[in-house]
Amino acid sequence: MIIFLPHGRRQKPLKDETIFDAALKAGIEIQSLCGGKGLCGKCKVIIVEGKENISPPTEVEMKYLSREDLHEGFRLACQTRIRSEGIVKVEVPPESRLGRQKLLEKGFERKVKLKPAVHKLLLSLKPPTLRDVEPDAERLISELRERTGGRIELSYEVLTKLPDTLREKSWEITVTLWRGREVISVESGDKRKSLYGVAVDIGTTKLAVYLVDLRSGKIVSTASDMNPQIPFGEDVISRISFVMKDELNLGRLQAKIVEGINNLIVKACRRAGVELSEIYDMTVVGNTAMHHIFLGINPKYVSLSPYTAVVGSSLDVKARTLGININGGAYVHALPVIAGFVGADAVADIIATGINENREKSMLIDIGTNTEIVLCDGENLYACSCASGPAFEGAHITHGIRAVEGAIERVWIDPETLKPMYKTVGNVKPRGICGSAIVDIIAEMLKAGIIKSNGTFNTDAGTDRLRERNGKIEFVIAPKNETFTGRDIVVTQSDIREIQLAKAAIYTGASILLKHVGMNPSEIKKLYMAGAFTSILKVRRQ
Ligand code: FES
């Protein structure tokens, strides 16, 4: 039996099951950036009791845990297996718990012409008589043909509701037409005032839902959360690997994302006082893997050379087929994907910025674990993606965490004393460093002369915050007496290297695109940046 602390939750594990898998089953989420593959070292737990009932430390644990860590009982949850039936008490320390993430819900907006895929019509039908016994459905279709002049179909769920709805308000009904050709809903009386849609952004890390009044185009409420698939792997490749491990796993991941979206839709509707049945349309974007998994399409070949997507064009699928709880007749519209690693999210970036319409020399960078870059040379658009890695999301950084409560998000270094000052998400005690702060730290250390221009520490900088531990040099951002975890929060030489690699990947992608079209960086008139932490980056003009 495993007892998880501080929750006190109990879980009977299978023999040889990892603590990580047992925690998932118990509904306890442990930090993981690699989906339990032993690649991130973030799933640290403390064995408080029952060391004799677990497997000995693996080589992976030796790599991520120091001798002192192991001595204090620290283990990696994804590497530690249950060997016998006795009690194992496992403490999930603060730095390994998944907190709520600070998410960006607002950004750059531009005016668009309102042209929703659904619209409503108020109809008054002639009731049947003994001389006119035309069936209800045909009666409705004839009226609609007269009003619109087009071929109209009725969806099945409309048929099941039609007879009572027609008679409820003396044959006065409101119909909702999808793309002017299919009746997806009928309501008694005049219901033209309620017409809502939801836009959903499925990010690898974040999930955001926007409830939109389709008559005005206004966003009436938003809701966001972390992508509930995170415990199965933090990057796209880990999730695809999880899908490939077992044929049931695609369904598992799809169910998770559908559940997450449904929960957020309920939240957004509650905030705006809107019923789920008043949502008649949904649009969804995500990178190619997220898009495929949401639609129940196997993303396996996206990760295998030559990295092809299963489908490139846009898709319309009935919401109920996917398990999305909105109006029973509504469709989900998935935007097209450009290529295996340039997905519908890049298409959304292009539409949102209007970079395709302005035809201005501009560049768009959507930073994530996989970064998409779009370049407009004044005429055509060129796109590429680069594996920038999850360093900006906190992975592979010694004290890196996502932008959860307690994450250091801004850092300044006093040029005189070389003492760092910081601000955390939620203004609470720090428990790690998130992407925006990592960028700050490197820039500030360079400015203050703590690192040299090649990224190596300057041991002559003259501050005791720069010190040597276990043969490695590190810089202390927050000493242990200030932190939530009771441990120093530091930046190491390898952290700087990780950021250099991530920056180099993005820089390379951008340079190759520029080279491909024969443009100089100085010709770029506008740079659009997407990705949650980019909104709080300091802009330095040269
Ligand atoms: S090393 Fe255990 S989850 Fe990544």
Side-chain angles (χ1 to χ4, degrees), residues 28 60 79 141 150 178 188 312 343 359 387-388 445 492 505 508 516 542:
I28 290 166
V60 171
Q79 299 294 306
I141 287 174
W178 178 76
S188 60
R359 301 285 159 182
S388 43
M445 287 199 301
T492 66
T508 306
H516 183 75
Q542 291 187 333

Side-chain angles (χ1 to χ4, degrees), residues 20 30-44 60 64 76-79 231:
F20 185 81
I30 295 177
Q31 280 267 16
S32 150
L33 301 172
C34 70
K37 293 215 296 290
L39 298 173
C40 67
K42 297 289 174 192
C43 58
K44 285 182 195 159
V60 171
Y64 287 108
L76 293 185
C78 73
Q79 299 294 306

Side-chain angles (χ1 to χ4, degrees), residues 176-236:
T176 307
L177 277 176
W178 178 76
R179 294 194 187 278
R181 60 171 191 259
E182 182 182 326
V183 178
I184 58 164
S185 165
V186 285
E187 295 158 276
S188 60
D190 186 355
K191 301 282 164 43
R192 285 174 297 175
K193 277 194 179 144
S194 88
L195 187 68
Y196 294 91
V198 275
V200 178
D201 179 9
I202 309 176
T204 316
T205 304
K206 121 190 155 175
L207 186 57
V209 160
Y210 304 80
L211 180 64
V212 183
D213 184 338
L214 295 177
R215 292 172 316 139
S216 64
K218 291 239 154 45
I219 293 172
V220 291
S221 80
T222 61
S224 57
D225 209 338
M226 285 186 289
N227 185 325
Q229 297 170 338
I230 290 173
F232 302 93
E234 296 235 349
D235 60 57
V236 165

Side-chain angles (χ1 to χ4, degrees), residues 342-457:
V342 188
D345 48 358
V347 177
D349 285 332
I350 291 169
I351 296 171
T353 53
I355 184 172
N356 57 325
E357 289 171 13
N358 304 340
R359 301 285 159 182
E360 189 176 22
K361 288 188 174 171
S362 45
M363 184 176 269
L364 190 165
I365 304 178
D366 190 347
I367 296 183
T369 305
N370 198 64
T371 294
E372 286 87 24
I373 307 176
V374 181
L375 174 69
C376 178
D377 66 353
E379 215 173 301
N380 297 310
L381 295 184
Y382 302 84
C384 75
S385 77
C386 46
S388 43
F392 287 124
E393 329 240 327
H396 305 169
I397 301 291
T398 312
H399 287 116
I401 57 172
R402 289 191 304 271
V404 291
E405 193 168 89
I408 296 177
E409 59 172 347
R410 305 306 310 255
V411 175
W412 304 265
I413 296 178
D414 185 314
E416 299 293 316
T417 62
L418 303 189
K419 190 178 167 219
M421 291 162 283
Y422 53 81
K423 182 191 171 300
T424 63
V425 175
N427 296 316
V428 295
K429 282 187 165 187
R431 55 186 216 165
I433 303 167
C434 70
S436 54
I438 291 167
V439 177
D440 275 358
I441 289 168
I442 304 232
E444 291 285 304
M445 287 199 301
L446 183 64
K447 251 189 357 190
I450 297 164
I451 55 171
K452 301 177 197 157
S453 58
N454 65 2
T456 54
F457 279 120

